[in-house]
């Protein structure tokens, strides 16, 4: 599986390497027309970071993570040897033994947490956190709720000092027949004085959409840790939109946020899932009310940081490759894959295979909005 995945464009009619080079050339022409040195400067013109500052951050992170990643690699090789592995460890061997190590050494099963993560408790804990941090109450309202697009959609009023400041829709459950996968937050309306009535301010309205399992057999929706993280993630976005104090609708809430700042509130919110006090208010057995056992909590924390340095270096490699391709181009290299591998020599412990064509499927920077901005 890893080999055909890495060889997404092995050559012949399916090789889109030439398209990558063409895209880079066209972006450089665009930069020239706009008066910028390169496309990285074009991309960062509307971001908080400059290309130089972004590269500086990537290097600082590399220095912080590299030694730990070396230790992780050594530990994994020793474990593989204990299991009878001999010879050079290939990328697919690394993935296999990393998962085997996780199962045997960490002994953590995400499914064991489901009974402790019932949606009603998770919502109560998440809203209690919002109360603690922002002095707001998130209250489900039924008597004056507007029509919704599905019976499972919930409508909340966000209050401060008893007065409404925003509204929130939550569509929590999967409906494969009519709803795409994933999770997202978006606005229904932005805070705006111009759109207010009788001199007032129109209050912001946000919606959050998730895709977790619905209640089954009289049991509430029981969530995985990843689903809880996702819920907090989208709630972080929603809070930024709902708690804005900006009355100019075009720049209030989530509007007008620099690209490399968009995920700050969501990542911040996710971190609270691993705060013991917050989790104590969330993780209660849906039948007995028992708190999450300390042993299970410790396993969750260990699993969260398992091989974190190696995973960080991988993302840094992607980010630096993106910035170099959009600032220096091929820089004398025969193909973009040579740039990718040169960056890997500095940022990765295990080097890509010779046939690796990851860039041919790197849609984030060649078909999405992350060109010279993957670092964000």
């Amino acid at each position: 599986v890893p080999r055909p995945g890495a060889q997404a464009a092995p050559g012949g009619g399916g090789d889109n390497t030439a398209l990558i080079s063409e895209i880079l050339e066209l972006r450089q022409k665009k930069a020239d027309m706009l008066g910028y040195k390169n496309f990285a400067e074009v991309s960062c013109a509307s971001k908080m970071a400059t290309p130089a500052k972004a590269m500086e951050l990537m290097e600082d992170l590399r220095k912080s993570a590299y030694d730990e990643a070396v230790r992780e690699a050594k530990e994994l090789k020793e474990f593989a040897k204990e299991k009878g592995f001999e010879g050079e460890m290939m990328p697919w061997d690394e993935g296999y033994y990393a998962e085997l190590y996780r199962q045997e050494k960490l002994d953590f099963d995400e499914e064991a947490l489901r009974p402790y993560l019932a949606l009603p408790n998770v919502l109560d804990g998440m809203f209690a956190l919002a109360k603690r941090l922002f002095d707001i109450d998130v209250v489900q309202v039924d008597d004056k709720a507007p029509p919704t697009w599905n019976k499972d959609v919930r409508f909340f009023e966000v209050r401060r000092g008893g007065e409404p400041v925003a509204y929130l829709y939550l569509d929590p459950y999967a409906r494969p027949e009519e709803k795409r996968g994933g999770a997202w937050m978006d606005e229904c309306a932005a805070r705006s004085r111009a759109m207010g009535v009788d001199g007032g301010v129109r209050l912001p309205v946000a919606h959050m959409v998730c895709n977790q399992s619905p209640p089954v057999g009289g049991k509430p929706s029981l969530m995985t840790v990843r689903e809880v993280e996702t819920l907090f993630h989208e709630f972080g976005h929603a809070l930024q939109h709902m708690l804005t104090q900006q009355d100019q609708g075009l720049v209030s809430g989530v509007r007008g946020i620099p690209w490399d700042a968009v995920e700050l509130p969501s990542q911040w919110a996710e971190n609270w899932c691993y705060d013991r006090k917050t989790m104590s208010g969330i993780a209660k057995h849906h039948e007995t009310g028992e708190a999450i056992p300390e042993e299970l909590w410790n396993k969750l924390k260990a699993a969260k940081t398992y091989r974190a340095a190696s995973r960080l270096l991988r993302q840094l490699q992607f980010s630096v490759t993106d910035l170099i391709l959009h600032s220096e181009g091929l820089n004398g290299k025969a193909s973009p894959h040579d740039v990718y591998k040169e960056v890997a020599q500095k940022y990765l412990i295990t080097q890509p295979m010779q046939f690796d064509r990851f860039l041919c499927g790197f849609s984030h920077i060649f078909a999405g909005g992350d060109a010279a901005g993957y670092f964000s």
Side-chain angles (χ1 to χ4, degrees):
V1 174
R3 182 183 288 268
Q7 283 181 298
D15 190 348
N16 59 359
T17 299
L19 290 178
I20 293 177
S21 298
E22 182 181 357
I23 289 170
L24 293 173
E25 290 175 5
L26 290 173
R27 287 174 175 168
Q28 181 59 50
K29 287 182 179 179
K30 180 178 181 179
D32 293 338
M33 294 172 65
L34 294 172
Y36 289 91
K37 184 178 179 181
N38 51 58
F39 188 78
E41 290 188 355
V42 175
S43 174
C44 290
S46 58
K47 295 180 172 65
M48 295 189 300
T50 63
K53 284 295 183 181
M55 286 292 286
E56 184 180 324
L57 173 62
M58 299 303 103
E59 178 60 13
D60 287 346
L61 291 171
R62 185 195 70 83
K63 291 177 180 178
S64 297
Y66 195 86
D67 288 347
E68 176 62 17
V70 170
R71 187 200 65 77
E72 291 174 351
K74 180 181 178 182
E75 183 180 61
L76 189 63
K77 288 178 181 178
E78 292 173 351
F79 174 76
K81 187 175 181 180
E82 292 175 5
K83 294 297 179 181
F85 179 81
E86 297 179 355
E88 181 182 0
M89 183 170 282
M90 308 301 282
W92 44 84
D93 298 318
E94 187 175 291
Y96 172 77
Y97 285 104
E99 176 59 20
L100 192 62
Y101 183 100
R102 188 188 70 83
Q103 292 177 4
E104 292 191 9
K105 300 292 187 179
L106 302 184
D107 189 27
F108 174 65
D109 179 10
E110 285 194 10
E111 291 299 311
L113 275 171
R114 270 193 193 267
Y116 295 92
L117 298 174
L119 178 61
N121 290 340
V122 173
L123 288 177
D124 287 346
M126 186 172 72
F127 295 155
L129 174 66
K131 172 71 172 178
R132 176 157 55 103
L133 297 177
F134 302 110
D135 193 27
I136 58 173
D137 296 290
V138 185
V139 182
Q140 184 169 345
V141 292
D142 299 315
D143 55 335
K144 57 179 180 179
T148 60
W149 55 95
N150 185 273
K151 62 180 179 59
D152 291 325
V153 175
R154 306 180 186 192
F155 183 74
F156 299 89
E157 187 173 84
V158 182
R159 302 169 183 165
R160 177 174 279 145
E163 295 297 320
V165 296
Y167 300 96
L168 172 68
Y169 290 95
L170 172 63
D171 186 353
Y173 307 131
R175 296 189 301 277
E177 71 282 358
E178 64 176 13
K179 183 179 175 183
R180 66 178 171 91
W184 60 95
M185 170 271 159
D186 209 338
E187 61 170 278
C188 300
R191 181 183 174 95
S192 171
R193 183 166 296 281
M195 299 299 292
V197 177
D198 298 329
V201 176
R202 182 182 68 180
L203 298 180
V205 184
H207 71 257
M208 292 165 48
V209 181
C210 299
N211 267 285
Q212 61 204 54
S213 301
V216 176
K219 294 182 179 181
S221 174
L222 300 178
M223 306 171 68
T224 66
V225 177
R226 301 291 168 252
E227 288 171 340
V228 174
E229 282 184 358
T230 298
L231 184 67
F232 271 68
H233 180 106
E234 302 307 336
F235 190 56
H237 285 307
L239 285 172
Q240 182 178 37
H241 186 67
M242 296 187 298
L243 300 186
T244 181
Q245 299 298 301
Q246 176 56 256
D247 291 343
Q248 299 298 325
L250 293 178
V251 291
S252 71
V254 294
R255 297 181 176 184
I257 304 297
W259 187 265
D260 49 349
V262 166
E263 295 301 328
L264 288 176
S266 55
Q267 295 295 324
W268 165 85
E270 277 188 39
N271 288 334
W272 289 99
C273 296
Y274 296 90
D275 171 63
R276 191 67 176 98
K277 182 177 180 179
T278 302
M279 185 58 76
S280 296
I282 290 174
K284 301 174 182 178
H285 197 284
H286 71 99
E287 292 178 336
T288 66
E290 172 194 5
I292 180 175
E294 194 66 24
E295 181 182 9
L296 190 54
W297 165 252
N298 290 334
K299 288 180 179 180
L300 169 63
K301 294 276 284 187
K304 171 68 173 176
T305 57
Y306 175 55
R307 291 182 62 78
S310 300
R311 288 186 277 114
L312 175 59
L313 288 183
R314 179 71 166 154
Q315 292 302 313
L316 292 177
Q317 182 216 3
F318 296 161
S319 300
V320 172
T321 300
D322 171 37
L323 284 169
I324 289 177
L325 286 174
H326 286 102
S327 59
E328 303 175 14
L330 299 187
N331 198 20
K333 305 292 189 303
S335 82
H337 307 299
D338 295 327
V339 177
Y340 174 80
K341 289 169 185 172
E342 183 177 72
V343 174
Q345 290 177 5
K346 182 176 182 180
Y347 279 81
L348 296 186
I349 309 303
T350 302
Q351 296 302 302
M353 304 302 296
Q354 186 59 36
F355 54 74
D356 194 310
R357 291 294 183 272
F358 169 81
L359 289 179
C360 290
F362 198 8
S363 60
H364 285 281
I365 68 170
F366 294 120
D370 284 328
Y374 189 82
F375 66 88
S376 61

